[in-house]
Structure formats: structure tokens, C-alpha cells
């Protein structure tokens, strides 16, 4: 049974929760938070939407398979370490740009690693929850 109130509320909550997850991702670059928490909030937003509107409606707005997010996240996280190897430094050594970006500060490979973690957590959580929900 689909609740009209929950369905309407999730239409407004989904973009807000996704924006908050990106905030957590970027805030965790220098403070507590980061890719894991941001990915969980993003996955919770999509799961809430699926609960309110059904799995089929969630699949319509989320066109990409969760496995793609997992693969992209693993590639980004591994790539962040490989960049230091290419620079002649030990694996996973943080590299930072010389320029500062407004709001974010200095950009470096730890942010790329956090983005990878964000995508992996989002993909794995969605794959687990949606697979369980579709079996019912």
C-alpha cells in the first residue's frame, strides 16, 4: 500500500537528502563525515523513495544499476592510490594541488578516495536493499 503523504514527502526529501549527502562527503574531506556517511545518507534517500513509491518507481528515477556505482567507486578509490605510485611515492600517499578551491579548500587524492567510498557504499547498500525488497 502506497501512502499519499509519504509519497509526496519523499518527492521533496529525496533532493534534500542527496544534497545533504554531498555536503557530508565534502565536509568529511577535512572534518568528521566523508564518503561512508554520505553514501549511507544517499542510499537511505533512495530506499525511502522506494518504500514510499515502490521498487519500480525507484528504478525509473535511478537509471543506473548499483553495480556500476560499485565499479566506479572501486576504480576511483584504487586510482587515488595509483596516482601516488605514478609520482614515485608509496601507495595511498596523499597528493594535494597547490591551488585552493573556494568552499572545498585544497583538493587532493584523499577527496578522490572519499568519492570512491561514497559510490561503493551507495551501490552496495542499494544492491542489498533493493534485492531483498524485490524478493518479497
Amino acid at each position: 500500500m502506497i501512502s499519499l503523504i509519504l509519497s509526496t514527502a519523499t518527492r521533496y526529501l529525496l533532493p534534500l537528502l542527496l544534497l545533504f549527502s554531498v555536503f557530508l562527503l565534502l565536509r568529511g574531506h577535512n572534518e568528521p563525515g566523508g564518503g561512508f556517511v554520505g553514501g549511507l545518507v544517499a542510499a537511505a534517500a533512495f530506499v525511502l523513495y522506494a518504500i514510499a513509491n515502490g521498487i519500480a518507481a525507484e528504478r525509473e528515477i535511478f537509471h543506473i544499476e548499483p553495480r556500476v556505482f560499485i565499479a566506479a567507486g572501486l576504480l576511483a578509490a584504487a586510482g587515488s592510490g595509483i596516482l601516488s605510485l605514478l609520482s614515485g611515492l608509496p601507495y595511498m600517499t596523499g597528493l594535494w594541488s597547490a591551488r585552493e578551491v573556494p568552499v572545498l579548500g585544497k583538493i587532493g587524492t584523499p577527496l578522490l578516495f572519499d568519492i570512491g567510498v561514497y559510490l561503493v557504499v551507495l551501490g552496495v547498500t542499494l544492491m542489498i536493499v533493493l534485492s531483498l525488497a524485490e524478493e518479497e
Side-chain angles (χ1 to χ4, degrees):
M1 183 171 124
I2 295 176
S3 166
L4 179 64
I5 295 172
L6 184 60
S7 177
T8 304
T10 54
R11 277 188 225 140
Y12 296 104
L13 282 174
L14 180 64
L16 290 175
L17 286 171
L18 291 177
L19 185 65
F20 183 62
S21 74
V22 172
F23 167 76
L24 288 173
L25 167 68
L26 296 177
R27 182 182 183 267
H29 181 58
N30 293 323
E31 297 179 34
F36 188 83
V37 176
L40 282 179
V41 171
F46 284 111
V47 169
L48 179 64
Y49 190 85
I51 290 170
N53 300 298
I55 299 297
E58 193 278 335
R59 292 271 187 201
E60 286 180 18
I61 65 162
F62 199 72
H63 299 287
I64 303 170
E65 282 292 315
R67 290 184 188 127
V68 174
F69 282 101
I70 296 170
L74 289 174
L75 188 65
S80 69
I82 291 173
L83 289 175
S84 59
L85 280 178
L86 294 175
S87 300
L89 298 169
Y91 186 69
M92 298 297 276
T93 301
L95 300 174
W96 301 92
S97 71
R99 287 187 267 164
E100 286 195 23
V101 175
V103 179
L104 296 178
K106 288 188 175 182
I107 301 291
T109 53
L111 179 61
L112 184 61
F113 181 79
D114 275 345
I115 291 171
V117 170
Y118 177 94
L119 292 174
V120 168
V121 169
L122 173 64
V124 167
T125 306
L126 280 179
M127 193 161 68
I128 291 170
V129 172
L130 295 178
S131 296
L132 291 173
E134 287 175 337
E135 286 183 6
E136 292 181 358

